[in-house]
Amino acid sequence: MKKNKWLPYLFVAPYLIHFVVFVAFPVCFSLFLTFHKWNIISPVEFVGTTNYSRMFNDRMFWKAILNTLKFLVIHIPLQLIFALALAEFLNRKIKLQGFYRAAFFLPVIVSGVVVTILWQQLLAFDSGIINRLLVNIGFGKVGWLVDPDIAMGSIAVMATWKNVGLYVILFLVGLQTVPPSYYEAAEIEGASHWQKFRHITLPLINPTIFMVVILSTIGGFSLFIEPYIMTGGGPLNSTLSSVLYIYKQAFQYYHMGYSATLGFFFALLILSVIIIQKKYIETND
Amino acid sequence: MINMKKILIYIFLSLAAISFLYPFYWMIVASLSPESEIGGLTFLPTEFTLDSYIQMFSKIPLGRALVNSIFVATLTTGGVIVFSSMVGYALSLMEFKGRNIIFYIIIFTMTLPFQITLIPNYITMVKLNLVDTYAALVLPFLLNSFAILLFRQAFIGMPKSLIDAARMDGCSDIRILYQVLFPNIIPTVVIVGILTFMNSWNEVLWALIVIRDENLMTMPQMVTLFSVGGRAESQLGVKLASAVLLALPIMLAYSFFQKYFIQSMASSGLKE
């Protein structure tokens, strides 16, 4: 049989070229940039570890990390609770199951731009439908997007609304892998609904929980278009996210070296947070 | 007692469904209402008007952006299907030195956060003179690790006899891949197609970075800049109208291929 020795390499060549140009080179170049100052137009200037020391002394940088943590602390529990509850209810013998699933999933497929513009109106201080509802039932208006203490929370709730449908589906897949015989055995022992959920369901869907936590974490660190459209990072930088800060450093001030340093550091941070979560969740059950 | 519980579940699920559907309903109705009515709108508009849409089209070339979006998303999707299936084929059905290394590189690439490559990739675009070209919107997305893994998985599941028989008949690898195997892995092609098209359609950060020329902007970028910049002149109606038109194509596709959308997205979450 004749075999072309080079054919397999021809097949993977597009990937290898793509990998070198868009992954390997940028990662190396990114490391290079962290030791340099550059605005693309003038020559590259070596600055040693200035970018790093600047980053650790940059209050905006710490603010962006704090904001991301704030987002995650609200977003992850909300996401887990609502997705699990909806999936658990959908997993029973329910009429219209397909309709409910399709409805929950709608925000997932729609562009974040649409969701953000929509929620900006719903949360508007004067004309927003949520504040109008609050006023009608006798409460005061809430500054959802204008109060620095609340704005990031509002964005976290909106992000939950957008993504929860995906996690409902993932949990549904997870729930269906639990063998019914486990529940039957527990019922014979007289276990309550809650006990069955706590001691059978939860441990068995642990991998799904882990995945939801990780995907939400990555989502939190990737947050960009929501604050970009809704608040521009304000009020008082309370919704300045990591990626928005990279974007501003790079494309408002043309600090390529510094923004690459931020990107490099955030990437490391994401990876370490995920490793910690993995350790924690895996030893927890 | 049991019925009571069931009713509560239905109430909970219905409230949830309303909370997901009503905002979209409100957005569409608001975009069709006169500007002065939007502030008080809750359920039914007092009168229908296309005013917001007419005004919006006079301010931004959204039609052009729609064509750009379709062009970019279609090209990207086609490229991903062709290239990723080739790599997936090589990794699963061909023997060659370095196969495992490439496989591990692909896995590694999937875990790499995009924040690290964002700025260098922009500089690459500048240096290659690709800023403000369609190529800038397509090239970085032409290959996708996840799509490669999906294709590899699909090809591994193919019966060996099918491939051997085709080889006996003297089929080349290209023909085995696209004529013999492709018809058997349509579900994978659909999943990769939907995911890629949707991601490309909704991509906005990269577009904001590499495109400044209005004639090349995709829909999400144009709608974003319209909403953030001053051109909407703080009129809600026109902003919402642009958002409705941005959502419409994907919503239409979703209403026809709902099952596939949900399947695709579910599989994208099951990376591990």
Side-chain angles (χ1 to χ4, degrees):
Chain A
M1 251 176 96
K2 61 170 179 149
K3 258 199 177 160
N4 191 339
K5 223 177 84 184
W6 294 104
L7 197 62
Y9 298 103
L10 212 62
F11 270 52
V12 294
Y15 176 75
L16 291 179
I17 295 170
H18 185 270
F19 172 76
V20 169
V21 176
F22 293 110
V23 183
F25 168 71
V27 169
C28 301
F29 190 50
S30 170
L31 192 60
F32 169 86
L33 276 176
T34 61
F35 298 105
H36 292 81
K37 188 178 166 181
W38 195 28
N39 64 2
I40 296 188
I41 302 153
S42 55
V44 187
E45 185 189 329
F46 179 77
V47 292
T49 55
T50 311
N51 282 326
Y52 290 96
S53 54
R54 178 177 162 196
M55 182 172 75
F56 289 113
N57 290 313
D58 182 354
R59 283 175 62 191
M60 280 301 124
F61 161 75
W62 291 108
K63 182 92 187 163
I65 290 186
L66 195 73
N67 289 339
T68 304
L69 292 181
K70 215 167 154 185
F71 174 90
L72 292 178
V73 164
I74 301 170
H75 180 60
I76 292 179
L78 268 184
Q79 189 94 274
L80 282 176
I81 292 168
F82 275 101
L84 246 180
L86 290 172
E88 168 73 13
F89 290 148
L90 270 188
N91 198 30
R92 304 187 186 179
K93 284 199 174 61
I94 289 283
K95 278 178 194 139
L96 292 175
Q97 202 193 35
F99 162 77
Y100 287 123
R101 217 174 41 181
F104 300 164
F105 206 73
L106 185 61
V108 178
I109 56 132
V110 171
S111 158
V113 175
V114 175
V115 170
T116 309
I117 292 178
L118 173 54
W119 275 71
Q120 196 180 20
Q121 307 317 325
L122 299 181
L123 296 172
F125 189 69
D126 283 319
S127 59
I129 204 159
I130 295 177
N131 271 355
R132 266 158 47 205
L133 187 78
L134 284 177
V135 169
N136 279 344
I137 55 175
F139 291 97
K141 289 175 185 168
V142 177
W144 299 111
L145 297 172
V146 290
D147 184 336
D149 293 329
I150 301 176
M152 202 56 178
S154 303
I155 291 183
V157 171
M158 176 183 78
T160 310
W161 182 86
K162 177 167 183 353
N163 295 329
V164 79
L166 174 61
Y167 301 118
V168 171
I169 303 294
L170 296 184
F171 274 127
L172 264 177
V173 174
L175 288 175
Q176 273 150 15
T177 61
V178 181
S181 60
Y182 285 24
Y183 293 122
E184 284 155 20
E187 264 159 40
I188 293 168
E189 303 281 329
S192 70
H193 247 312
W194 171 250
Q195 280 172 324
K196 280 190 284 183
F197 180 74
R198 174 69 190 86
H199 295 289
I200 300 174
T201 315
L202 270 190
L204 280 170
I205 57 166
N206 202 29
T208 317
I209 295 179
F210 173 61
M211 203 166 62
V212 173
V213 171
I214 288 202
L215 290 176
S216 307
T217 306
I218 295 173
F221 278 100
S222 311
L223 198 67
F224 169 74
I225 199 65
E226 293 85 351
Y228 181 83
I229 292 180
M230 262 184 163
T231 56
L236 298 174
N237 293 312
S238 62
T239 58
L240 182 76
S241 70
S242 343
V243 176
L244 185 56
Y245 191 46
I246 296 176
Y247 178 86
K248 284 191 168 179
Q249 282 295 337
F251 303 107
Q252 272 180 11
Y253 310 119
Y254 283 90
H255 295 155
M256 290 301 154
Y258 187 52
S259 58
T261 312
L262 292 171
F264 201 84
F265 185 82
F266 281 126
L268 288 183
L269 192 64
I270 296 169
L271 290 176
S272 15
V273 168
I274 288 174
I275 290 168
I276 293 169
Q277 285 171 340
K278 192 171 168 122
K279 281 239 163 74
Y280 180 75
I281 293 179
E282 275 177 355
T283 50
N284 209 17
D285 265 277
Chain B
M1 190 56 202
I2 287 164
N3 269 336
M4 202 45 210
K5 215 169 171 181
K6 200 117 211 202
I7 289 169
L8 279 177
I9 289 178
Y10 274 110
I11 291 176
F12 181 75
L13 286 174
S14 302
L15 279 178
I18 291 169
S19 85
F20 288 111
L21 295 176
Y22 174 74
F24 288 113
Y25 167 82
W26 179 87
M27 174 173 77
I28 294 168
V29 174
S31 74
L32 292 165
S33 296
E35 182 70 24
S36 56
E37 305 279 316
I38 296 174
L41 179 76
T42 43
F43 208 70
L44 284 173
T46 43
E47 57 174 307
F48 275 105
T49 164
L50 288 174
D51 234 30
S52 297
Y53 288 89
I54 295 166
Q55 276 200 46
M56 192 249 315
F57 275 114
S58 73
K59 288 173 200 276
I60 47 170
L62 202 67
R64 169 90 204 210
L66 172 71
V67 174
N68 287 341
S69 270
I70 292 174
F71 178 68
V72 167
T74 309
L75 209 62
T76 308
T77 309
V80 166
I81 289 175
V82 171
F83 291 128
S84 302
S85 62
M86 276 168 72
V87 183
Y89 179 86
L91 287 179
S92 55
L93 300 174
M94 290 169 131
E95 303 268 343
F96 58 100
K97 263 205 188 109
R99 193 171 89 162
N100 283 336
I101 297 172
I102 295 178
F103 180 66
Y104 290 126
I105 289 177
I106 291 171
I107 304 269
F108 164 76
T109 312
M110 277 178 72
T111 58
L112 193 73
F114 75 89
Q115 284 86 343
I116 198 167
T117 51
L118 189 68
I119 301 299
N121 276 344
Y122 166 70
I123 292 168
T124 305
M125 292 296 136
V126 174
K127 292 295 165 193
L128 295 177
N129 272 326
L130 290 177
V131 169
D132 274 330
T133 62
Y134 288 117
L137 292 172
V138 175
L139 284 179
F141 301 100
L142 268 189
L143 273 130
N144 179 300
S145 302
F146 183 57
I148 294 174
L149 292 186
L150 280 179
F151 277 118
R152 177 182 168 271
Q153 208 56 40
F155 290 137
I156 285 178
M158 287 285 112
K160 200 102 189 81
S161 55
L162 185 71
I163 300 150
D164 289 341
R167 280 242 161 83
M168 289 294 207
D169 290 340
C171 281
S172 65
D173 281 291
I174 285 282
R175 279 189 58 195
I176 294 179
L177 168 56
Y178 290 116
Q179 286 187 347
V180 180
L181 295 182
F182 240 57
N184 293 298
I185 56 154
I186 294 300
T188 305
V189 179
V190 170
I191 286 178
V192 170
I194 286 184
L195 283 177
T196 313
F197 194 91
M198 209 175 73
N199 284 339
S200 177
W201 187 272
N202 290 337
E203 175 61 46
V204 58
L205 172 57
W206 182 248
L208 281 170
I209 290 176
V210 294
I211 302 293
R212 314 279 154 79
D213 179 356
E214 201 173 71
N215 287 320
L216 291 168
M217 285 183 184
T218 57
M219 267 183 119
Q221 183 187 9
M222 189 172 284
V223 170
T224 299
L225 290 177
F226 183 55
S227 178
V228 173
R231 274 199 291 179
E233 285 155 19
S234 63
Q235 285 176 289
L236 289 187
V238 291
K239 272 192 203 179
L240 291 169
S242 68
V244 170
L245 289 186
L246 172 58
L248 211 57
I250 287 283
M251 277 185 172
L252 274 178
Y254 178 62
S255 64
F256 286 113
F257 306 109
Q258 192 209 101
K259 207 179 79 190
Y260 298 105
F261 267 90
I262 295 182
Q263 252 173 27
S264 309
M265 291 294 284
S267 74
S268 80
L270 300 173
K271 280 176 188 172
E272 290 202 49

Short mmCIF file of all heavy atoms in Angstrom, two decimals, chain A residues 112-150:
data_model
loop_
_atom_site.label_atom_id
_atom_site.label_comp_id
_atom_site.label_asym_id
_atom_site.label_seq_id
_atom_site.Cartn_x
_atom_site.Cartn_y
_atom_site.Cartn_z
N GLY A 112 -24.96 39.21 24.55
CA GLY A 112 -24.84 39.97 25.78
C GLY A 112 -25.13 41.44 25.57
O GLY A 112 -25.58 42.13 26.48
N VAL A 113 -24.90 41.93 24.37
CA VAL A 113 -25.18 43.33 24.05
C VAL A 113 -26.68 43.60 24.20
O VAL A 113 -27.10 44.59 24.82
CB VAL A 113 -24.73 43.65 22.61
CG1 VAL A 113 -25.14 45.06 22.22
CG2 VAL A 113 -23.23 43.47 22.47
N VAL A 114 -27.49 42.70 23.66
CA VAL A 114 -28.95 42.86 23.75
C VAL A 114 -29.40 42.81 25.20
O VAL A 114 -30.14 43.69 25.67
CB VAL A 114 -29.66 41.74 22.95
CG1 VAL A 114 -31.16 41.81 23.14
CG2 VAL A 114 -29.30 41.80 21.49
N VAL A 115 -28.91 41.79 25.92
CA VAL A 115 -29.32 41.63 27.32
C VAL A 115 -28.94 42.87 28.12
O VAL A 115 -29.72 43.35 28.94
CB VAL A 115 -28.67 40.36 27.91
CG1 VAL A 115 -28.86 40.29 29.41
CG2 VAL A 115 -29.24 39.12 27.23
N THR A 116 -27.75 43.40 27.86
CA THR A 116 -27.30 44.56 28.63
C THR A 116 -28.13 45.81 28.33
O THR A 116 -28.54 46.52 29.24
CB THR A 116 -25.81 44.84 28.35
OG1 THR A 116 -25.08 43.64 28.52
CG2 THR A 116 -25.29 45.89 29.29
N ILE A 117 -28.39 46.05 27.05
CA ILE A 117 -29.20 47.22 26.69
C ILE A 117 -30.59 47.10 27.31
O ILE A 117 -31.14 48.06 27.87
CB ILE A 117 -29.29 47.38 25.16
CG1 ILE A 117 -27.92 47.74 24.58
CG2 ILE A 117 -30.32 48.43 24.77
CD1 ILE A 117 -27.88 47.86 23.08
N LEU A 118 -31.13 45.89 27.25
CA LEU A 118 -32.45 45.64 27.82
C LEU A 118 -32.48 45.90 29.32
O LEU A 118 -33.32 46.64 29.83
CB LEU A 118 -32.84 44.19 27.50
CG LEU A 118 -34.09 43.62 28.12
CD1 LEU A 118 -35.28 44.51 27.80
CD2 LEU A 118 -34.33 42.22 27.58
N TRP A 119 -31.51 45.32 30.04
CA TRP A 119 -31.49 45.49 31.49
C TRP A 119 -31.16 46.91 31.93
O TRP A 119 -31.57 47.36 32.99
CB TRP A 119 -30.51 44.50 32.12
CG TRP A 119 -31.17 43.19 32.35
CD1 TRP A 119 -31.54 42.29 31.40
CD2 TRP A 119 -31.60 42.66 33.61
NE1 TRP A 119 -32.16 41.23 31.99
CE2 TRP A 119 -32.20 41.41 33.34
CE3 TRP A 119 -31.52 43.09 34.93
CZ2 TRP A 119 -32.73 40.62 34.35
CZ3 TRP A 119 -32.04 42.29 35.93
CH2 TRP A 119 -32.64 41.08 35.65
N GLN A 120 -30.41 47.60 31.08
CA GLN A 120 -30.13 49.00 31.39
C GLN A 120 -31.44 49.78 31.50
O GLN A 120 -31.58 50.66 32.34
CB GLN A 120 -29.26 49.58 30.26
CG GLN A 120 -28.59 50.86 30.61
CD GLN A 120 -27.75 51.36 29.44
OE1 GLN A 120 -27.96 50.95 28.29
NE2 GLN A 120 -26.80 52.21 29.74
N GLN A 121 -32.41 49.43 30.63
CA GLN A 121 -33.71 50.10 30.69
C GLN A 121 -34.52 49.61 31.87
O GLN A 121 -35.14 50.41 32.57
CB GLN A 121 -34.50 49.87 29.39
CG GLN A 121 -33.76 50.22 28.11
CD GLN A 121 -33.01 51.53 28.20
OE1 GLN A 121 -33.47 52.48 28.86
NE2 GLN A 121 -31.86 51.60 27.58
N LEU A 122 -34.51 48.30 32.11
CA LEU A 122 -35.29 47.75 33.23
C LEU A 122 -34.81 48.33 34.56
O LEU A 122 -35.59 48.58 35.47
CB LEU A 122 -35.17 46.22 33.29
CG LEU A 122 -35.67 45.43 32.08
CD1 LEU A 122 -35.49 43.94 32.32
CD2 LEU A 122 -37.13 45.74 31.80
N LEU A 123 -33.50 48.58 34.67
CA LEU A 123 -32.91 49.03 35.93
C LEU A 123 -32.75 50.55 36.01
O LEU A 123 -32.21 51.06 36.99
CB LEU A 123 -31.53 48.38 36.13
CG LEU A 123 -31.50 46.86 36.29
CD1 LEU A 123 -30.07 46.36 36.29
CD2 LEU A 123 -32.19 46.44 37.58
N ALA A 124 -33.22 51.26 34.98
CA ALA A 124 -33.04 52.72 34.96
C ALA A 124 -33.67 53.35 36.20
O ALA A 124 -34.68 52.86 36.72
CB ALA A 124 -33.65 53.29 33.69
N PHE A 125 -33.06 54.42 36.68
CA PHE A 125 -33.48 54.99 37.96
C PHE A 125 -34.91 55.55 37.92
O PHE A 125 -35.74 55.23 38.74
CB PHE A 125 -32.50 56.09 38.39
CG PHE A 125 -32.75 56.56 39.78
CD1 PHE A 125 -32.50 55.73 40.87
CD2 PHE A 125 -33.24 57.84 40.01
CE1 PHE A 125 -32.74 56.16 42.17
CE2 PHE A 125 -33.48 58.27 41.31
CZ PHE A 125 -33.23 57.43 42.38
N ASP A 126 -35.20 56.37 36.90
CA ASP A 126 -36.51 57.02 36.87
C ASP A 126 -37.55 56.24 36.09
O ASP A 126 -38.65 56.01 36.56
CB ASP A 126 -36.38 58.43 36.27
CG ASP A 126 -35.79 59.39 37.27
OD1 ASP A 126 -36.19 59.31 38.45
OD2 ASP A 126 -34.93 60.19 36.89
N SER A 127 -37.19 55.81 34.87
CA SER A 127 -38.19 55.21 34.00
C SER A 127 -38.16 53.69 34.05
O SER A 127 -39.00 53.03 33.46
CB SER A 127 -37.98 55.68 32.57
OG SER A 127 -36.69 55.31 32.14
N GLY A 128 -37.16 53.10 34.74
CA GLY A 128 -37.02 51.65 34.75
C GLY A 128 -38.23 50.96 35.34
O GLY A 128 -38.83 51.43 36.31
N ILE A 129 -38.59 49.82 34.74
CA ILE A 129 -39.83 49.15 35.12
C ILE A 129 -39.74 48.60 36.54
O ILE A 129 -40.73 48.55 37.28
CB ILE A 129 -40.16 48.04 34.09
CG1 ILE A 129 -41.65 47.75 34.11
CG2 ILE A 129 -39.35 46.79 34.34
CD1 ILE A 129 -42.12 47.09 32.85
N ILE A 130 -38.52 48.25 36.98
CA ILE A 130 -38.38 47.69 38.33
C ILE A 130 -38.61 48.77 39.39
O ILE A 130 -39.34 48.56 40.37
CB ILE A 130 -37.00 47.02 38.49
CG1 ILE A 130 -36.93 45.82 37.53
CG2 ILE A 130 -36.75 46.60 39.92
CD1 ILE A 130 -35.62 45.10 37.50
N ASN A 131 -38.01 49.95 39.17
CA ASN A 131 -38.24 51.04 40.12
C ASN A 131 -39.69 51.51 40.11
O ASN A 131 -40.24 51.88 41.14
CB ASN A 131 -37.30 52.21 39.83
CG ASN A 131 -35.98 52.06 40.57
OD1 ASN A 131 -35.82 51.14 41.38
ND2 ASN A 131 -35.06 52.96 40.31
N ARG A 132 -40.32 51.49 38.91
CA ARG A 132 -41.73 51.89 38.85
C ARG A 132 -42.60 50.94 39.66
O ARG A 132 -43.50 51.35 40.38
CB ARG A 132 -42.20 51.92 37.39
CG ARG A 132 -42.07 53.32 36.78
CD ARG A 132 -42.02 53.30 35.28
NE ARG A 132 -43.05 52.46 34.70
CZ ARG A 132 -42.96 51.89 33.50
NH1 ARG A 132 -41.89 52.07 32.79
NH2 ARG A 132 -43.93 51.15 33.04
N LEU A 133 -42.26 49.65 39.56
CA LEU A 133 -42.99 48.64 40.33
C LEU A 133 -42.80 48.89 41.83
O LEU A 133 -43.75 48.88 42.61
CB LEU A 133 -42.47 47.25 39.95
CG LEU A 133 -43.23 46.08 40.54
CD1 LEU A 133 -44.51 45.86 39.74
CD2 LEU A 133 -42.39 44.81 40.51
N LEU A 134 -41.55 49.16 42.24
CA LEU A 134 -41.26 49.41 43.65
C LEU A 134 -42.04 50.61 44.17
O LEU A 134 -42.60 50.58 45.27
CB LEU A 134 -39.75 49.65 43.84
CG LEU A 134 -38.85 48.41 43.78
CD1 LEU A 134 -37.40 48.82 43.90
CD2 LEU A 134 -39.22 47.41 44.87
N VAL A 135 -42.09 51.67 43.37
CA VAL A 135 -42.82 52.88 43.78
C VAL A 135 -44.31 52.57 43.92
O VAL A 135 -44.97 52.97 44.87
CB VAL A 135 -42.59 54.03 42.78
CG1 VAL A 135 -43.54 55.19 43.04
CG2 VAL A 135 -41.14 54.50 42.85
N ASN A 136 -44.84 51.78 42.98
CA ASN A 136 -46.26 51.44 43.00
C ASN A 136 -46.65 50.66 44.24
O ASN A 136 -47.76 50.82 44.75
CB ASN A 136 -46.63 50.61 41.75
CG ASN A 136 -46.85 51.51 40.56
OD1 ASN A 136 -47.02 52.72 40.71
ND2 ASN A 136 -46.82 50.92 39.37
N ILE A 137 -45.77 49.80 44.73
CA ILE A 137 -46.14 49.05 45.92
C ILE A 137 -45.59 49.71 47.19
O ILE A 137 -45.54 49.10 48.25
CB ILE A 137 -45.68 47.57 45.84
CG1 ILE A 137 -44.17 47.47 45.56
CG2 ILE A 137 -46.45 46.81 44.77
CD1 ILE A 137 -43.64 46.05 45.59
N GLY A 138 -45.19 50.98 47.06
CA GLY A 138 -44.94 51.79 48.24
C GLY A 138 -43.50 51.83 48.73
O GLY A 138 -43.25 52.27 49.85
N PHE A 139 -42.55 51.37 47.94
CA PHE A 139 -41.15 51.50 48.34
C PHE A 139 -40.51 52.69 47.62
O PHE A 139 -41.12 53.28 46.72
CB PHE A 139 -40.38 50.23 48.01
CG PHE A 139 -40.78 49.07 48.86
CD1 PHE A 139 -41.70 48.14 48.41
CD2 PHE A 139 -40.21 48.89 50.13
CE1 PHE A 139 -42.07 47.07 49.19
CE2 PHE A 139 -40.58 47.82 50.92
CZ PHE A 139 -41.52 46.90 50.45
N GLY A 140 -39.28 52.99 47.99
CA GLY A 140 -38.58 54.06 47.29
C GLY A 140 -37.81 53.51 46.11
O GLY A 140 -37.69 52.30 45.93
N LYS A 141 -37.30 54.40 45.27
CA LYS A 141 -36.50 53.97 44.13
C LYS A 141 -35.13 53.49 44.61
O LYS A 141 -34.60 53.99 45.60
CB LYS A 141 -36.29 55.14 43.17
CG LYS A 141 -37.52 55.52 42.40
CD LYS A 141 -37.21 56.76 41.58
CE LYS A 141 -38.46 57.26 40.90
NZ LYS A 141 -38.27 58.59 40.32
N VAL A 142 -34.59 52.52 43.89
CA VAL A 142 -33.25 52.03 44.21
C VAL A 142 -32.31 52.42 43.07
O VAL A 142 -32.66 52.30 41.89
CB VAL A 142 -33.26 50.49 44.38
CG1 VAL A 142 -31.85 49.97 44.64
CG2 VAL A 142 -34.21 50.08 45.48
N GLY A 143 -31.13 52.87 43.42
CA GLY A 143 -30.17 53.28 42.39
C GLY A 143 -29.40 52.10 41.85
O GLY A 143 -28.18 51.99 42.04
N TRP A 144 -30.09 51.19 41.16
CA TRP A 144 -29.49 49.93 40.73
C TRP A 144 -28.14 50.11 40.05
O TRP A 144 -27.22 49.35 40.29
CB TRP A 144 -30.43 49.19 39.76
CG TRP A 144 -31.75 48.86 40.37
CD1 TRP A 144 -32.97 49.41 40.06
CD2 TRP A 144 -32.01 47.91 41.42
NE1 TRP A 144 -33.96 48.87 40.84
CE2 TRP A 144 -33.40 47.94 41.68
CE3 TRP A 144 -31.21 47.05 42.15
CZ2 TRP A 144 -34.00 47.14 42.66
CZ3 TRP A 144 -31.81 46.25 43.12
CH2 TRP A 144 -33.18 46.30 43.36
N LEU A 145 -28.07 51.09 39.17
CA LEU A 145 -26.82 51.25 38.41
C LEU A 145 -26.08 52.54 38.78
O LEU A 145 -25.00 52.79 38.26
CB LEU A 145 -27.12 51.25 36.90
CG LEU A 145 -27.72 49.95 36.36
CD1 LEU A 145 -28.14 50.10 34.92
CD2 LEU A 145 -26.73 48.80 36.51
N VAL A 146 -26.67 53.36 39.64
CA VAL A 146 -26.01 54.62 39.98
C VAL A 146 -25.45 54.63 41.40
O VAL A 146 -24.67 55.50 41.77
CB VAL A 146 -26.98 55.82 39.80
CG1 VAL A 146 -27.25 56.04 38.32
CG2 VAL A 146 -28.27 55.62 40.57
N ASP A 147 -25.83 53.65 42.22
CA ASP A 147 -25.30 53.57 43.57
C ASP A 147 -24.06 52.67 43.57
O ASP A 147 -24.15 51.49 43.22
CB ASP A 147 -26.38 52.97 44.49
CG ASP A 147 -25.94 52.95 45.94
OD1 ASP A 147 -24.71 52.95 46.18
OD2 ASP A 147 -26.81 52.92 46.82
N PRO A 148 -22.88 53.20 43.93
CA PRO A 148 -21.63 52.41 43.86
C PRO A 148 -21.69 51.13 44.69
O PRO A 148 -20.99 50.16 44.38
CB PRO A 148 -20.57 53.36 44.42
CG PRO A 148 -21.17 54.70 44.40
CD PRO A 148 -22.66 54.56 44.42
N ASP A 149 -22.52 51.11 45.74
CA ASP A 149 -22.58 49.90 46.57
C ASP A 149 -23.41 48.81 45.93
O ASP A 149 -23.29 47.64 46.26
CB ASP A 149 -23.19 50.24 47.94
CG ASP A 149 -22.28 51.14 48.74
OD1 ASP A 149 -21.05 51.02 48.55
OD2 ASP A 149 -22.79 51.98 49.50
N ILE A 150 -24.30 49.19 45.00
CA ILE A 150 -25.25 48.23 44.45
C ILE A 150 -24.92 47.82 43.03
O ILE A 150 -25.21 46.70 42.61
CB ILE A 150 -26.69 48.82 44.49
CG1 ILE A 150 -27.06 49.15 45.93
CG2 ILE A 150 -27.70 47.84 43.90
CD1 ILE A 150 -28.40 49.81 46.07
#
